Amino acid sequence: MQNNKVTIHDIAKALNLDSSTVSRALNDSPRVIQKTKDIVLAKATEMGYQRNHLASSLRKSKTNTIGVIVPRISRHFFSSVISGIEETAYEAGYTVIICQSLEQFNREKKIINTLMGQRVDGVLMSISMETKDYKHLEVLKKQGIQLVFFDRHCDIPNYSNVLIDDFNSGFEATEHLILKGCKHIAHFSGPQNLEIYKNRFKGYKHALSKHGLPFEEALVFPSKLMEEDGRKNSEKLLALPNPVDGIFSANDVAAIGAIKYLTSNGVKIPEDIAIVGFSNEPISTVINPALTTINQPGIEIGKAATALLLRQITKENDALDAQTIIMDSNLIERQSSKK
């Protein structure tokens, strides 16, 4: 028995009871007296029995399991969101399956299929940078599986979202640089198929327009916003005929790449170039100079997204209708922009 999973039949044989009696005892059935329940539970523990929760839940056509898909678990923002998700789900009696797409569309599609195979009740998701086709998400709806987007969402109707105001945050970051005296501001943007980067870019342009500064296409550098992208973009900036005096990066990682490259090439930050990032990654406080950034409330986003998903699963109140919840964000000023 050491090499095989212990079954109800094994426990019944050891106690000389019917398998049906053991099953009822393990399920706390009122048809079994407490003394027998205690004996069965003690023997089950002794033998190392583990209940097949999936099989049990399938009989009830509900698994009390939700899937979570993030681009990268290693990013502080997403790990914070997961913390909020897990805490809220646990309190509601739900198990969480955590997956990462690693920014790959094909991997994301496979994860969706896997979660459907696990018969999850719902999915919380932040889409990959490569995702431009949403057919794999429509399959979830056909299967009756609820879906809520957080952070990176899709511009498609009838889905719920938990977001920050990326337009206003992009505007605030850029205006902060303008108010510090910057007049030639570059933007490190993410892929424009993603709404969050599209809206941060729009906020950047609006701030320039409001303050009478010209928009220059040559100062926009789209990429996947990795640290190496920040380095490469900074190298291109230094080669421009007109010097840049500010950078708004759509995430902290690329901004940190910029700080490392620029300082290693004799550029003084913020005196020569002021920099603002986005997300408030932990490294933004320890890089020299410390990075000014937009703070996203990851834990609160996770909690709100999970609560919304659970309402949709249980169909409480008006939760059948798609909702968009906007969470507060704020700019944290540090040395990289203090002029």
Side-chain angles (χ1 to χ4, degrees):
M1 206 177 295
Q2 292 178 348
N3 296 323
N4 299 297
K5 288 185 178 180
V6 177
T7 67
I8 286 174
H9 301 293
D10 296 326
I11 299 170
K13 185 177 180 180
L15 294 174
N16 197 27
L17 293 172
D18 290 336
S19 296
S20 58
T21 301
V22 172
S23 177
R24 292 189 189 104
L26 291 172
N27 285 288
D28 199 23
S29 169
R31 296 173 61 183
V32 179
I33 63 173
Q34 190 60 47
K35 182 179 178 180
T36 302
K37 289 179 185 178
D38 293 341
I39 293 171
V40 170
L41 288 172
K43 179 57 71 172
T45 301
E46 175 192 326
M47 297 176 69
Y49 172 73
Q50 291 184 320
R51 293 187 62 187
N52 188 336
H53 292 283
L54 180 59
S56 174
S57 59
L58 288 178
R59 288 192 290 273
K60 303 171 186 175
S61 69
K62 193 165 180 286
T63 62
N64 275 49
T65 303
I66 59 175
V68 178
I69 308 173
V70 297
R72 292 185 187 275
I73 295 172
S74 60
R75 294 288 167 83
H76 173 71
F77 169 70
F78 290 119
S79 63
S80 298
V81 173
I82 288 169
S83 180
I85 290 171
E86 200 281 331
E87 181 181 337
T88 305
Y90 177 81
E91 290 173 355
Y94 280 74
T95 301
V96 178
I97 300 174
I98 300 167
C99 310
Q100 57 179 345
S101 67
L102 299 179
E103 304 289 12
Q104 298 168 21
F105 176 60
N106 287 333
R107 184 180 173 107
E108 182 179 280
K109 288 197 295 183
K110 289 178 182 177
I111 289 170
I112 290 290
N113 287 332
T114 298
L115 292 176
M116 286 193 296
Q118 294 292 321
R119 298 178 68 92
V120 296
D121 297 326
V123 173
L124 293 166
M125 183 177 188
S126 188
I127 64 173
S128 82
M129 284 191 177
E130 293 183 353
T131 302
K132 300 176 183 177
D133 185 303
Y134 310 130
K135 291 177 184 175
H136 60 305
L137 305 180
E138 294 291 341
V139 176
L140 287 173
K141 182 179 286 188
K142 291 176 182 176
Q143 295 292 325
I145 298 173
Q146 297 294 327
L147 172 62
V148 171
F149 294 107
F150 64 90
D151 188 48
R152 298 185 194 170
H153 64 297
C154 300
D155 187 21
I156 49 179
N158 303 318
Y159 284 99
S160 292
N161 310 286
V162 178
L163 318 166
I164 64 167
D165 190 329
D166 287 289
F167 175 87
N168 279 337
S169 295
F171 175 87
E172 183 180 10
T174 309
E175 185 174 60
H176 171 77
L177 290 169
I178 294 169
L179 296 177
K180 292 292 181 178
C182 298
K183 298 186 182 301
H184 204 217
I185 302 169
H187 177 44
F188 293 177
S189 69
Q192 293 299 293
N193 58 294
L194 296 179
E195 293 298 311
I196 62 166
Y197 297 126
K198 195 184 298 182
N199 289 327
R200 290 172 195 178
F201 175 49
K202 289 178 180 177
Y204 158 78
K205 289 178 68 177
H206 184 61
L208 295 178
S209 175
K210 178 187 173 183
H211 291 273
L213 297 177
F215 167 70
E216 299 177 57
E217 193 74 49
L219 296 185
V220 179
F221 297 86
S223 72
K224 289 190 175 182
L225 297 173
M226 303 297 285
E227 186 171 320
E228 184 60 24
D229 294 315
R231 293 175 185 270
K232 290 178 179 177
N233 291 340
S234 298
E235 184 178 5
K236 293 174 184 176
L237 284 182
L238 294 184
L240 291 173
N242 297 318
V244 164
D245 56 7
I247 298 172
F248 163 45
S249 176
N251 78 358
D252 282 351
V253 177
I256 287 163
I259 288 175
K260 289 180 178 179
Y261 180 85
L262 293 171
T263 54
S264 69
N265 282 272
V267 177
K268 295 179 181 179
I269 299 171
E271 293 84 357
D272 297 330
I273 300 178
I275 301 178
V276 177
F278 207 113
S279 286
N280 195 26
E281 293 283 334
I283 194 174
S284 64
T285 63
V286 297
I287 189 77
N288 186 26
L291 178 64
T292 296
T293 186
I294 299 291
N295 180 55
Q296 295 175 275
I299 292 176
E300 289 73 19
I301 288 173
K303 289 180 177 180
T306 308
L308 177 55
L309 179 66
L310 295 180
R311 287 199 301 272
Q312 292 187 175
I313 289 171
T314 56
K315 297 177 173 58
E316 289 182 7
N317 303 325
D318 59 344
L320 286 177
D321 297 326
Q323 302 178 44
T324 294
I325 298 173
I326 304 296
M327 308 292 288
D328 291 332
S329 62
N330 62 291
L331 184 140
I332 300 175
E333 183 179 7
R334 299 193 181 107
Q335 281 66 39
S336 71
S337 67
K338 279 188 176 178
K339 287 192 175 185

